[in-house]
Amino acid sequence: MTSYRGLKAQRVLLLGLSGVLAAATVSVAASGARAADGDRNGAAAAPRLAWRACERTGGPAGQECAELPVPLDYRDPTGPQVALAVTRVRSDRPAARRGTLLVLPGGPGGSGVSRLAQRGVALQRQMAGAYDLVSLDPRGVGGSTKAGCGLDAADRELVTLRSWPAADGGIAENVARSRRIAEACARNGGALVRSMSTANEVRDIDRLRQALGEEKLSAWSVSYGTYVAAVYAQTHPGRTDRWVLDSTGDPDPERVERGWLANMARAADDRFPDFAAWAADPARTADGLRLARRAADVRPLFFALAAELDRRPKPSNVPGAPLTGDRLRQAMQTALYGDESAFAGLAGLIKAAQDPAATPRLPADAAGPLPDADAAVWAATICNDVDWPRDPDAYRRAVAADRVRHPLTAGMPVNVTPCAFWPDRPADKPVRITDRGPANVLMVQNLRDPSTPYFGAEKMRAALGERARMVTVDRGGHGVYLAHGNACGDRTVTAFLRDGERPRQDVYCAG
C-alpha cells in the first residue's frame, strides 16, 4: 500500500505547524500503547474545532482547516496531547446533506489535508452535496505534530528506504542501514514516534468523529488507508455508514505491512506486461519512446540495462546521484503505479540510459532524500504495527529465493527493514478483519495493481464475507475511484456513496 505509496509525493505536500506541542510530546516516556477503546476512548470531552479558511489553488472552494488535539497515549487521555491537522469542505447543498464523508489517504505517510485539496472538487461533483468532506493528517504527517529520527540523508532516499539488495544479491549494507535507522529512531524519535500506528490512527479518527458531532461516518479510503478503514469498521462497526475500500491489501493479522511489501514482487510481474505492450506499440515510434518491436523483448531489455547500470552507473542530472541499476528498478516500480504518462517517463529514462551522449533525468522521488519526519512516519508505523522476523539470515534466504521467482524486483520486497531491529514490540495486536458487522462495505480494485495486488484484495473480500461487495476493474495501476476514468467503476462507487445503491453481487468492469 504498501506502506510506501505515500512517500512519493510527501516532499511537496508538507504543511507547517507550531512546534509547541511537538516539544511537549517528545519528553513523554510512554508510548501510544493499548488504550481503553470503545466509548471509554472519549474519556476526555471531545474538543471544539476552530475552523479557518485554507483554500488551495485548484482545490475546492471553502476548504477549511483546524487543529485537533488527541492524546499522545490513550491510556492517559488527559495527559500530553498531539495536534492533528484536520480539514473539511462543507456540503454546498445543505438540503441534500446526509452526513460526513471521511477521506483516508494512503501511506503510511499520506496527507489527508492535501488529498482533499487534490480530489475535493471531483468528489464534490460526484456527491452532489450529500456530504461534508473531511480528512486529517495522521500523527507526524503534513501539518500534524512531527518528530524525526535524525537520519542521515543517504538513509532517507526512497531507493535506500526500500531495501534493494546489492547487485550480487547481498544484503549486508541493507542490514547495517536498517539497524542504523532503528537505533536512530529509538534514540531521537521519542514518544511520538513510538505512538505512530494504525491502532492510534483509528483512535484519532474516532476522536475526530466526536469533535464533528457525528454518530456515524462514511468513508472513501485508498491504499494503506483501506487497512485503517477496515480496522475502524471492525472495532467501531456501529459508527460506520457507507464504507469504501479502494485498492486493498491482504489483512492477514500476522503479517500486515510485511505481507503487503512481500506481495509487491508478484504484483510487479502482473503489471509489467502492460508497460511492455505500451513500449512496443508502433505508436511509440513517433515520440521516440518505442523500446522494442515485440512486447516480449522489453523485459529482457530492462534486465540487461539494469545489470549494466549495476556494473557502471551513469551520471544523471542530479550531482552525486548517478543512475544505478537500483535507481532504474525503483523508477520502474514507481511508474507501474501510474498510467501512460508514467510509462512515458520510464521509457524516456531507459532511452537516455541507453544513449552514450544523453544525461538521464531522475524521477523526482529518486532525486534526493525525503524529509526526516516523513521517513520516520513510514518506519515507525510499519514497525509499531506488527512483529517482524529478527534474524538477518532469514532475510538473506528470502531474498535469494525471491530474486529467482521475481527478478523484476530483485528481492527488495522481502528484504530486511528497520523493523528487524526495532526495540519496541507492538503495543496493540493487529485486528483480525471478520464478517461480523453491518453489510455496508464496497471494495473497488484494479486487476493489475502493482502495490495492493488483486490476490491480496481477494483475501480482504473473503474476510469481510457478506459485509462487502467488490468491484473489479480490468486495468492496471494503483487507485481506482476518480483516478483513471473507468466509468463503470466510478459510477458504481458514486451510486453507493451518494445514493446507497450497493450491488447485490460482485461487479466486473471492463478496462
Side-chain angles (χ1 to χ4, degrees), residues 334-348:
T334 300
L336 297 184
Y337 282 84
D339 53 18
E340 291 189 359
S341 62
F343 287 178
L346 176 59

Side-chain angles (χ1 to χ4, degrees), residues 2-4 6-7 10 14 82 84 105-111 137-151 156 161 181 185 189 192-198 201 224 257 370-385 418-419 422:
T2 206
S3 314
Y4 299 97
L7 294 178
Q10 284 175 29
L14 301 177
V82 174
L84 302 185
S111 164
D137 287 349
R139 298 169 183 232
V141 175
S144 295
T145 303
K146 292 190 179 69
C149 291
L151 303 180
R156 290 186 272 114
L161 282 172
I181 291 173
C185 287
L192 181 56
V193 164
R194 293 195 296 275
S195 79
M196 294 172 182
S197 68
T198 297
E201 185 169 346
Y224 165 69
E257 285 98 339
L370 278 75
D372 187 56
D374 296 357
V377 170
W378 167 74
T381 305
I382 70 170
C383 298
N384 288 333
D385 268 5
C419 307
W422 205 251

